[in-house]
Amino acid sequence: RSLLPPYLRAMDIQTASSREQFTACFPLMQQLRPQLTLDEYLVRVLYMQDEGYRLIYTGLEEVAEALLGYRFATHLDEGRTIVINDFITTPAQRKEGLGAALLLHLKSIAAAADIYHISIKLPFDAPEAQRFCLNQGFVLDKQYLVLHLPGT
C-alpha cells in the first residue's frame, strides 16, 4: 500500500541504475557536491551502488529536478535503518512538493522493509534543509562529529 497521496502517485519517481540515469542526476548532484567532476561522480556512485547505495529521483525528460540518495544500514542502537546521504531539489522546484514526494516514497520503501527509522546528515549551514526536514517529521536526535585524516 502506497503512503503517497493520489496527486503524487502519478509523479514519475525512478531509481537510478544506469550510467545514463546517474548522468541525468549529475547537474543537480553537483549543486550538492560541487567538488565532484562527472567522471569522479560516476566512479563513486557506481562503487557506492555495489555497497547498497540507491538514488531515487524525479524530473522532466532527461534532467533530475529532485533526488534522494540513501542506503540501508544496521546500527546497534537503532536496528535496521535507512540513512539519507544526498537530498536536493532544484531551486526553481522547491516548495512544489518534489522533496516531500521523494521522502514519502522512501517511507514506503522503509515500511515495505519493516524499517522504522530514517536518518539524514545535514550541514550546520543549511537552515532551509533543516527546516524542511523538521517540517517533514524529523527530530534532532544525535550530532555527528567528523575527524578529517591527512590526505582527505
Side-chain angles (χ1 to χ4, degrees), residues 15-144:
T15 300
S17 59
S18 70
R19 182 181 186 91
E20 292 77 22
Q21 289 172 313
F22 285 118
T23 300
C25 293
F26 178 69
L28 186 53
M29 184 68 80
Q30 194 174 39
Q31 291 179 34
L32 192 62
R33 312 281 180 231
Q35 76 280 11
L36 293 177
T37 66
L38 176 59
D39 290 337
E40 291 170 324
Y41 161 74
L42 289 173
V43 167
R44 287 186 192 183
V45 80
L46 293 172
Y47 182 81
M48 289 167 58
Q49 191 177 26
D50 288 342
E51 295 180 327
Y53 179 80
R54 300 292 173 257
L55 183 64
I56 57 176
Y57 68 98
T58 189
L60 298 172
E61 299 182 24
E62 296 179 11
V63 179
E65 293 180 315
L67 63 80
L68 188 154
Y70 69 95
R71 64 181 76 227
F72 293 94
T74 303
H75 300 276
L76 289 174
D77 56 345
E78 298 151 347
R80 293 186 64 219
T81 186
I82 291 178
V83 178
I84 299 173
N85 297 104
D86 308 297
F87 192 15
I88 188 170
T89 301
T90 61
Q93 293 298 320
R94 291 189 184 136
K95 304 205 185 316
E96 298 298 321
L98 299 182
L102 289 177
L103 196 52
L104 282 170
H105 185 76
L106 186 63
K107 288 177 184 179
S108 293
I109 291 168
D114 288 327
I115 292 174
Y116 304 100
H117 187 270
I118 297 174
S119 64
I120 185 167
K121 180 177 76 171
L122 294 172
F124 288 112
D125 62 349
E128 274 187 64
Q130 293 167 7
R131 193 170 28 260
F132 171 81
C133 289
L134 291 170
N135 289 337
Q136 295 298 314
F138 284 86
V139 295
L140 296 172
D141 186 25
K142 293 185 178 85
Q143 185 173 7
Y144 287 92

